[in-house]
Amino acid sequence: MNGKIAKLDSADCEGSSGGSDHENEQHSESNVKLRKKIVRKAKKTDDEQSNEKGSKKKLQNGTGNNIDKRVFSILKNFQDTTNITSKMLQDLVALLQEESSEKRNATATYVIKRLIRATGADNKNTAAKVGSIIELIIKNVPDVNELDLLDLLERELPVNGQPKKKEEALAAVGQMITASIIIKLSKQLSTKRELAPIYTKLISYLKGREYLMCMSNNVIVESFATVPEERFATDVWPVLKQDIAKPVSELNLHTFDVLLAVHHSYDNILTYEQLMAILWPKKAVYSELFKIYLAAPKMYDPRIYARFGKFLGTADTNAKMLKSWQDYAYEHRSQNIASKGCIFKVLEHQIVSHKNANEQPLIDLFDSPLMDFILDELLAAKTTSAKKEKPLTMQLRQICQEFECAVVLLFENPATGDETKATILSNLLKKRGNLNEIATMRRFTETLLNTLKYDGLQIIFDVYADLLTRPVDGEAPQDNSSRNQLDCVNQMHAILQHTELEGHKKERFSMLKTILTAGLCHVAAGLQPCLPAESILSDSSADRCKTIFIGLLVRSCHGDIKELCLDLRKTVKFLKKFMSKTKNSSAQRRVANDEQQLAWDVLTKLEESDDNESNASALIIEVLILFVGLAQYTSCCQLQMSILNDLMVCRNMKKNKQKVESEEEPSWQEVVTDILLQMLLETAAHWREFTNIILKSMLPYLGQAHLMQMLQRLDMDSNPLGEDEDESSSDENENEGESNDDDNDSSADDDDNSEDDDDDKDENEDEDAAILEDNALDKLRDSVRRALENGDEDDGEASSVDWNDVDEESGKRLDESLAAIFKMRHQTTQRKKRPTKSDRINSTTLLHFRVRVLDLVEVFANKKPTMDVILDVLQCVFQVFCRTINDKDQRPLHHASQKLLAKLINKEITFEEAQDRGQIIVAIEELFAATTSALEARQIRGAPNSHELQQQLVMWRDKSFAALITQCSEKNDVDNNVAWPLLKAKLNDWLPGRKSKQPLFGFEAIFQFKPTWPGVNQLVAILVSHLNASTHPMKRLIILKLLAAHKNRLKPTVHSQKAVIKGLEKYAKNVLESDPLTASTVQELKALKQYLNPKLLETKEILMKISQSLDEFHQKENTVSVNPLPEMMLQSPRRKPRRTVRLNLKIKFFMK
């Protein structure tokens, strides 16, 4: 068969032209004998054929005279089932529908006979497609009785008993495919007794070859969806009961699965009690049933495991069976991969199908030893490589991923109780502390945590607090690595950030105090303070706890500075009470130094004061003191102690209402702004959030001078960090690369020494690089001189070389020498360009600092969008954008500046009453000047993608230009816009000549700006006024194309202007009167025609004349004959004689 539909032999149809394909009739022994006879004799009569096959119904078999001959050509196209199209099927069905009743039955019987024979093909895709074709014919062709398929099935695909040979096995497959079609159409059957022989045939294949049992099982189980319960009870169940209603010891996996399917589909016919009585008539031995599944040689259809899992999941009345299954599966867990897959699939469907109110079986399942095996297999599946493992192992990996999804579905199910989910998750965490390490699903633990309510989160937080100091699986305390502790701390952080805790602030602060205690003190089991020798928590985990505490304090206030002040005061009060106990103070991880003790004294004095700061400015300073002091006391920052002293001075000034005595003395706003900028050097994310909160609260007290303090840090020509940059960056690097020691005093001295050593190393590296460069240059000169002298022995000076006289060997030797020399020179240059480690740290610190300053500037511009603020910020940000556009090291800063620039362009400026807007014109001129200098810079002109960079610069300049132009006047007073002289000047600079340095992109950006600027009407009128003879044709064409490209935006505002239309009419007349029309004028007319609106009465006459002129021009072009080329142009050009090129190599530089 091999994928082709079998052909009927010549005895089936008298005079048929289709011939016989005897190689395809290999399904039965009778057809094999018939093939041998046909080889000897070409034809047989209809009587002989009917006698051989024993046909009893002539109408069903059909005669050759009644078969429509057209069907042969159609079936011929069906030989290759991979190329069957819907058109072929439509032709076949249409042919069978148009015939008379007798002829249709004969033709349909012939077609179905061939198709039934093809269902036994040695190709599963072919058999499946042929089965669908048979079903299509029976559904759409009238008077075709599907009951005839049984007779045809027995004759065309006979199987004697159990299939032994391959041909019989393939015939059995064809029988099951045809039987499934009959069952699908069983609702149309007139007699009910016909289903019994079908199921008798199917049930016989539940013993024997494995793939036949699987297929028979699937066909029987799927048929239950189409057979009604009444008919099943009378026709099907009596047949099935004889073979499957037996004890477990007499069943195999497939017969038991059919029995389970009967119970699930027809629970009124086979109840749970009846099923249990059939399986175990005397005493229940569950291991006999479990052995059937776990001893299977391979993995079966997932639906088989789903039915078994559902059966176990509904066995609440018999909890002993469920417990026995878990014990048996754990004992036989490592038989083979198939048994592992069976355990996973059964548990998966047991979890998904659980719908009872009693959730204790689920809790027991996740607490059983079997779950240890599941977690081990999940970890093994995660580390499985697709390239090295076998397909069966990869299938198990897929099953493990499906099990993870089942657990997530269980947690996301609203019917699952919150306490149950918390208990299940706590059981898993006690077995494996970090579930993310074993799960393939990304953020598996976080996904489960997000489904919990407050009570469940409280339980899991306590579990993590216990795991933080108690190792998992009974390991020794010293084996509890810091990595596992960090995982616990991070999950506790995730719980504290959960939205369910928003309404429980008191309980949340209690959890925060637990985190702070773990960060400040040595802790033992239960996170209780202890002596250093008994400490379990690592230093890195403790530092992480302190960082989490400070960050959560900032985020919990949601930008409310009053709430932040209350939380800070509560924290100081808690620390004061906590440290007053001798046991707690002796358990501190680090002894407070002088600066930390001074910070603590400031905090205690501020906490003891009963001053309720009603003034917003005083509240800001108080929050700064509390936050900075708390960070310094807990060693969560690198800020200097002078910052706290300056803040205390500012607080005293605000408290005593003192004013600045001299102009040189800074105001409290300047001091606070400078402190905020210093805070941006801290690497933790909560410092950026804190500075944004303070800046938003301070904005009513800040002015233009304070904005300039921030913008000065964005000056790309200077280093705003100065000497402090080296110190901060070196400290930051040391904190990242080394763990903190207990002795802070000695570590501070080591830091200073290491900084001096780094400076000395950098200086030595620079000196060594200079010496190496000088030596390499001397060696280069000598090497080049020797190479040239060796290449030209007669001329020692080697002032010039005649390459025509140099032989091949000398030239090759000279090339190799020069290549080695210049390679050495290139390596020396690269060594000089490579930055030192300290330079890289300093540049990275400066980069991150400037990005954070941009955040502050954005907050300032959003809250105070005045003209001075927006103009200053826009110019500064545009300068940063230009300077970083082609610098790979500054790419984060470039992206940040581009985002802020886009926001500023769309920002509407807030103007004061009667404010002069002339400053906008000055800002526009500075934008153009900055763009010009950037375009001429070597950084852009020498870049490989110079053209793209120039386009990007011009685009953002024009967007900024358009945004500022639209805000140069009120929307209702466009005529008095201060930008008109500038626009006219830009246009006058662009008009002269064919080319100009100033393109018209700025005007196009104005047209594209949204919302549409009301001054577009006047701008279009200005452009139209220059459509005259004094303007170059190329410039006129550019103007027309610009207007045509944006005509949809300009229609509602421009086409109502009579002046514009008159100007266009005058221009069109002048162009049309020019005789003759040239190619450039034709392009202008086409652009004008594209712009003008044909629906307006004023433009119809113009458009008609333009169309006539264009048609005449094209007609003249088509009628003009092509003149022959001159004879001299047809002659081939003469080749220029070769010239001997003498190359002179000057080496004056090397000979110096």
Side-chain angles (χ1 to χ4, degrees), residues 444-456:
F444 179 71
T445 308
E446 289 78 0
T447 305
L448 301 182
L449 286 175
N450 291 334
T451 63
L452 298 179
K453 302 298 182 182
Y454 166 73
D455 295 332

mmCIF file of all heavy atoms in Angstrom, residues 444-456:
data_model
loop_
_atom_site.group_PDB
_atom_site.id
_atom_site.type_symbol
_atom_site.label_atom_id
_atom_site.label_comp_id
_atom_site.label_asym_id
_atom_site.label_seq_id
_atom_site.Cartn_x
_atom_site.Cartn_y
_atom_site.Cartn_z
ATOM 1 N N PHE A 444 8.590 30.713 39.802
ATOM 2 C CA PHE A 444 7.554 29.770 40.232
ATOM 3 C C PHE A 444 7.046 30.115 41.634
ATOM 4 O O PHE A 444 5.830 30.148 41.879
ATOM 5 C CB PHE A 444 8.132 28.348 40.186
ATOM 6 C CG PHE A 444 7.179 27.284 40.614
ATOM 7 C CD1 PHE A 444 6.108 26.933 39.823
ATOM 8 C CD2 PHE A 444 7.350 26.626 41.828
ATOM 9 C CE1 PHE A 444 5.223 25.934 40.220
ATOM 10 C CE2 PHE A 444 6.480 25.632 42.226
ATOM 11 C CZ PHE A 444 5.415 25.287 41.418
ATOM 12 N N THR A 445 7.963 30.386 42.548
ATOM 13 C CA THR A 445 7.561 30.703 43.924
ATOM 14 C C THR A 445 6.749 31.986 43.981
ATOM 15 O O THR A 445 5.731 32.066 44.682
ATOM 16 C CB THR A 445 8.809 30.828 44.818
ATOM 17 O OG1 THR A 445 9.618 29.656 44.668
ATOM 18 C CG2 THR A 445 8.419 30.994 46.266
ATOM 19 N N GLU A 446 7.172 33.013 43.249
ATOM 20 C CA GLU A 446 6.445 34.277 43.252
ATOM 21 C C GLU A 446 5.039 34.119 42.694
ATOM 22 O O GLU A 446 4.090 34.779 43.150
ATOM 23 C CB GLU A 446 7.212 35.336 42.459
ATOM 24 C CG GLU A 446 8.491 35.840 43.120
ATOM 25 C CD GLU A 446 9.644 34.867 42.979
ATOM 26 O OE1 GLU A 446 9.439 33.797 42.362
ATOM 27 O OE2 GLU A 446 10.739 35.161 43.486
ATOM 28 N N THR A 447 4.898 33.241 41.685
ATOM 29 C CA THR A 447 3.571 32.996 41.122
ATOM 30 C C THR A 447 2.635 32.395 42.155
ATOM 31 O O THR A 447 1.450 32.758 42.233
ATOM 32 C CB THR A 447 3.686 32.057 39.907
ATOM 33 O OG1 THR A 447 4.600 32.611 38.956
ATOM 34 C CG2 THR A 447 2.334 31.872 39.226
ATOM 35 N N LEU A 448 3.147 31.484 42.964
ATOM 36 C CA LEU A 448 2.319 30.888 44.014
ATOM 37 C C LEU A 448 2.026 31.899 45.129
ATOM 38 O O LEU A 448 0.907 31.921 45.675
ATOM 39 C CB LEU A 448 3.013 29.651 44.594
ATOM 40 C CG LEU A 448 3.340 28.511 43.601
ATOM 41 C CD1 LEU A 448 3.971 27.345 44.340
ATOM 42 C CD2 LEU A 448 2.110 28.070 42.843
ATOM 43 N N LEU A 449 2.997 32.728 45.457
ATOM 44 C CA LEU A 449 2.785 33.715 46.523
ATOM 45 C C LEU A 449 1.728 34.743 46.139
ATOM 46 O O LEU A 449 0.973 35.220 47.007
ATOM 47 C CB LEU A 449 4.101 34.423 46.850
ATOM 48 C CG LEU A 449 5.146 33.635 47.635
ATOM 49 C CD1 LEU A 449 6.425 34.439 47.768
ATOM 50 C CD2 LEU A 449 4.614 33.260 49.012
ATOM 51 N N ASN A 450 1.665 35.090 44.874
ATOM 52 C CA ASN A 450 0.701 36.104 44.438
ATOM 53 C C ASN A 450 -0.747 35.657 44.569
ATOM 54 O O ASN A 450 -1.660 36.485 44.490
ATOM 55 C CB ASN A 450 0.985 36.505 42.988
ATOM 56 C CG ASN A 450 2.269 37.284 42.843
ATOM 57 O OD1 ASN A 450 2.708 37.940 43.784
ATOM 58 N ND2 ASN A 450 2.890 37.219 41.687
ATOM 59 N N THR A 451 -0.994 34.372 44.742
ATOM 60 C CA THR A 451 -2.366 33.876 44.892
ATOM 61 C C THR A 451 -2.834 33.855 46.340
ATOM 62 O O THR A 451 -4.013 33.566 46.598
ATOM 63 C CB THR A 451 -2.471 32.452 44.316
ATOM 64 O OG1 THR A 451 -1.620 31.568 45.055
ATOM 65 C CG2 THR A 451 -2.051 32.430 42.854
ATOM 66 N N LEU A 452 -1.954 34.154 47.285
ATOM 67 C CA LEU A 452 -2.299 34.054 48.708
ATOM 68 C C LEU A 452 -2.918 35.344 49.222
ATOM 69 O O LEU A 452 -2.649 36.443 48.717
ATOM 70 C CB LEU A 452 -1.047 33.724 49.520
ATOM 71 C CG LEU A 452 -0.347 32.385 49.203
ATOM 72 C CD1 LEU A 452 0.873 32.225 50.079
ATOM 73 C CD2 LEU A 452 -1.294 31.222 49.393
ATOM 74 N N LYS A 453 -3.732 35.201 50.255
ATOM 75 C CA LYS A 453 -4.288 36.333 50.980
ATOM 76 C C LYS A 453 -3.383 36.665 52.169
ATOM 77 O O LYS A 453 -2.292 36.106 52.307
ATOM 78 C CB LYS A 453 -5.708 36.009 51.449
ATOM 79 C CG LYS A 453 -6.660 35.640 50.322
ATOM 80 C CD LYS A 453 -6.855 36.773 49.338
ATOM 81 C CE LYS A 453 -7.855 36.387 48.251
ATOM 82 N NZ LYS A 453 -8.038 37.454 47.259
ATOM 83 N N TYR A 454 -3.872 37.555 53.029
ATOM 84 C CA TYR A 454 -3.027 38.018 54.133
ATOM 85 C C TYR A 454 -2.653 36.886 55.077
ATOM 86 O O TYR A 454 -1.488 36.744 55.465
ATOM 87 C CB TYR A 454 -3.746 39.128 54.900
ATOM 88 C CG TYR A 454 -3.099 39.424 56.225
ATOM 89 C CD1 TYR A 454 -1.876 40.095 56.287
ATOM 90 C CD2 TYR A 454 -3.676 38.994 57.422
ATOM 91 C CE1 TYR A 454 -1.260 40.340 57.494
ATOM 92 C CE2 TYR A 454 -3.069 39.245 58.638
ATOM 93 C CZ TYR A 454 -1.854 39.914 58.665
ATOM 94 O OH TYR A 454 -1.241 40.150 59.875
ATOM 95 N N ASP A 455 -3.630 36.070 55.463
ATOM 96 C CA ASP A 455 -3.334 34.993 56.421
ATOM 97 C C ASP A 455 -2.309 34.017 55.851
ATOM 98 O O ASP A 455 -1.386 33.574 56.559
ATOM 99 C CB ASP A 455 -4.629 34.252 56.767
ATOM 100 C CG ASP A 455 -5.615 35.142 57.509
ATOM 101 O OD1 ASP A 455 -5.146 36.072 58.194
ATOM 102 O OD2 ASP A 455 -6.833 34.910 57.385
ATOM 103 N N GLY A 456 -2.459 33.675 54.573
ATOM 104 C CA GLY A 456 -1.489 32.769 53.960
ATOM 105 C C GLY A 456 -0.107 33.388 53.866
ATOM 106 O O GLY A 456 0.909 32.705 54.081
#
